[in-house]
Each structure stands twice: as C-alpha cells, then as structure tokens.
Amino acid sequence: MALSGEARTLERQAAAAAPPATGPGMLQRLRPALLPALSILALLLFWQLAAWLADNPRRLPSPAAVLVAMAALTASGELLYHLGVTLLRVAASFVIAMALGTVIGIAMGRSPLLDRLAHPWLVFFLNIPALVTIVLAYIWIGLVEAAVVFAVAANKIPNVVVTLREGARALDRDLLEMAAVFRVGRRRTLQRVLLPQLYPYLAAAARSGLALIWKIVLVTELLGRSNGVGFEIGLYFQLFDVTGILAYTVAFVIVIQIIEWTLLLPLERHAGRWRR
C-alpha cells in the first residue's frame, strides 16, 4: 500500500513536470486568432505584389512606404490629433443614432398602428442619400460640429430603426405573457425578458452602424471641416499624395478594427449566450 501511494505521488510529479501538449487542442485554441492573421498577411502580400507590378510609388505605394508615412505622422502628432477628432465625432453620432433608433424601432415593432403610420416616413429617410443630408445640414445649421453630428446620426437612425423593429417583432410573446401573469415589474421584465432577446439585434445594429457612421463622418469632414481624417484625406488628394491618403486610411481602419475586436465582438458573443 505504501509502495502504491509512493508510485502515485511520482506519477503526479512527472505529470506536473511534463511540457504542455502541443497537439490538436492547442491548435484548436489558436485557430480563431490564426486564421485572421493569415488573411491579413495574404492581403499585405497581394498589396505588395500589386505595388510591384504597378512600379509607380506615386500611384500605388508599397505597404512598407505607407507604414513609414504612418510612423512619421504619428511622431509629429498630426495623425493622433486628427484620429482623435474623428473618433469623437463618430462616438457622438453613434450614441445618438443608437439611442433614438432603438426607441423608435422598438415602438414600431410593438405597435402595429404606429408601424403602419411611420413606415412611409422610414422608407423616405432610408432612401435619402447621405450626401444630400450632409449638404442640407451644412446649409441649415452651418459649418459647425452640430451639423456633422446631425447629418451622420440622421443617416444612421433609419437603419437602426429597421433592425430593432424586426427584433421587437420577434419577441417571444409567451415569455411576455408569463411575466404579466406572475406580475413581474416593468423594470425586471425589461432586464430579464426584453433586453436578452433584443441584444443580438442591438449588436448587429451597432456593428453595421459603426462601419457606416465612420464613412459618413469622413465625407462630412471632407466637405465642411478643417480637421479630422476626412479633411486630411482631402488635403492629400489635392496634392496627389496617395501615400498620405493610404496612411490615414489604414490607421483609421486599424483603430476601428481594434474597437470591433475588443468591444463589439465580445458584446455580440455575450448577447447570444442566452440562446445556447
């Protein structure tokens, strides 16, 4: 018995000292990060090949040349300043569009009468080009920050309304009736019944909204502001400086991707937990 106990002790020590396994389990854990990394690498290789075939740095610079330009702009402080200005405009427009669009969308999804009355308005605003909204905002409000936020939010609100309206229509009526039967308060019904079902729609509206909003913000900066990434891209366009254009574009795309990977995707996974 003593020998058997000593043998088990030696086995546990050997298992603790053994190197970690590098088999299929580890590869499975690395796969979610490995595939995007390989995809990005393939994109850079394709870009490098296209730049080599074009053989004209003024028209299509290599990834290395754009990286050098980004480093120089970062060191001078210009890139960080203009990125910060644009991100503040994106954040303000995003919050307003999500808040108003969510309220209107849920109201339309829960009320058939309101849905019938507001549907023509929704179709009308969905089909107004972003450029028209931006120009009218600058004419009506002036070349100020409020015009930028208004124009961008006005373009995004209808999309949020459509998404949340579908979410409100898809709510499980049995759960709502059960909450009513057991006299669950409005606050707990909202927290425990409504929001868990609406989280996937909120996440979808947020992800698509972020992609749309930052593009519209760049157009508003190009047309009527004196700072921001859009303004800088317009300035480099006048100078026919493709390297500068791509430096600001790549930098901003990287920032948006970081926001999506670190914030939006985890929120979306968290929102879908109740379905599993």
Side-chain angles (χ1 to χ4, degrees):
M1 293 296 292
L3 180 61
S4 176
E6 183 178 352
R8 287 196 294 270
T9 302
L10 290 174
E11 288 179 358
R12 287 195 295 269
Q13 291 175 352
T22 58
M26 180 169 289
L27 293 177
Q28 190 72 20
R29 291 192 297 270
L30 291 176
R31 184 175 297 177
L34 184 62
L35 292 179
L38 291 175
S39 178
I40 294 173
L41 180 60
L43 175 61
L44 292 175
L45 291 175
F46 177 78
W47 181 0
Q48 179 63 48
L49 178 62
W52 179 73
L53 292 175
D55 194 24
N56 188 342
R58 288 186 58 83
R59 288 185 176 273
L60 184 58
S62 66
V66 173
L67 184 61
V68 170
M70 288 173 56
L73 290 169
T74 303
S76 68
E78 293 182 23
L79 181 61
L80 297 178
Y81 167 72
H82 292 289
L83 274 175
V85 170
T86 299
L87 286 174
L88 286 175
R89 292 167 179 155
V90 169
S93 305
F94 178 80
V95 170
I96 293 174
M98 287 297 299
L100 293 179
T102 298
V103 172
I104 298 172
I106 294 176
M108 291 180 64
R110 300 294 298 158
S111 172
L113 175 60
L114 179 61
D115 186 33
R116 288 194 297 270
L117 290 173
H119 182 72
W121 290 55
L122 182 60
V123 174
F124 175 78
F125 286 108
L126 277 171
N127 289 280
I128 295 179
L131 181 61
V132 173
T133 308
I134 295 168
V135 171
L136 290 176
Y138 279 143
I139 292 175
W140 291 338
I141 304 175
L143 300 176
V144 295
E145 293 296 325
V148 175
V149 175
F150 169 80
V152 178
N155 275 282
K156 179 54 189 171
I157 287 173
N159 300 91
V160 179
V161 170
V162 170
T163 304
L164 269 297
R165 181 181 63 176
E166 295 305 313
R169 288 174 175 175
L171 290 174
D172 192 331
R173 297 186 180 277
D174 292 337
L175 292 177
L176 295 174
E177 291 176 0
M178 183 176 64
V181 168
F182 285 95
R183 297 181 179 180
V184 179
R186 291 186 178 182
R187 182 176 179 180
R188 289 181 60 84
T189 301
L190 177 65
Q191 293 177 343
R192 303 294 184 178
V193 180
L194 292 178
L195 286 181
Q197 298 182 68
L198 291 175
Y199 278 152
Y201 297 92
L202 286 167
R207 291 188 65 190
S208 63
L210 184 64
L212 177 64
I213 283 175
W214 78 260
K215 296 171 186 178
I216 301 176
V217 167
L218 295 190
V219 177
T220 62
E221 292 174 343
L222 177 66
L223 293 177
R225 304 307 298 143
S226 59
N227 51 24
V229 174
F231 169 77
E232 287 295 301
I233 289 176
L235 183 62
Y236 281 110
F237 167 71
Q238 297 176 22
L239 300 174
F240 296 97
D241 189 340
V242 179
T243 303
I245 294 173
L246 290 178
Y248 271 97
T249 303
V250 171
F252 198 69
V253 169
I254 290 174
V255 172
I256 295 298
Q257 285 298 311
I258 291 174
I259 293 174
E260 180 170 346
W261 290 338
T262 59
L263 183 62
L264 295 182
L265 282 178
L267 285 176
E268 187 174 12
R269 287 194 293 267
H270 177 77
R273 289 189 309 169
W274 71 280
R275 294 181 180 273
R276 295 192 292 270

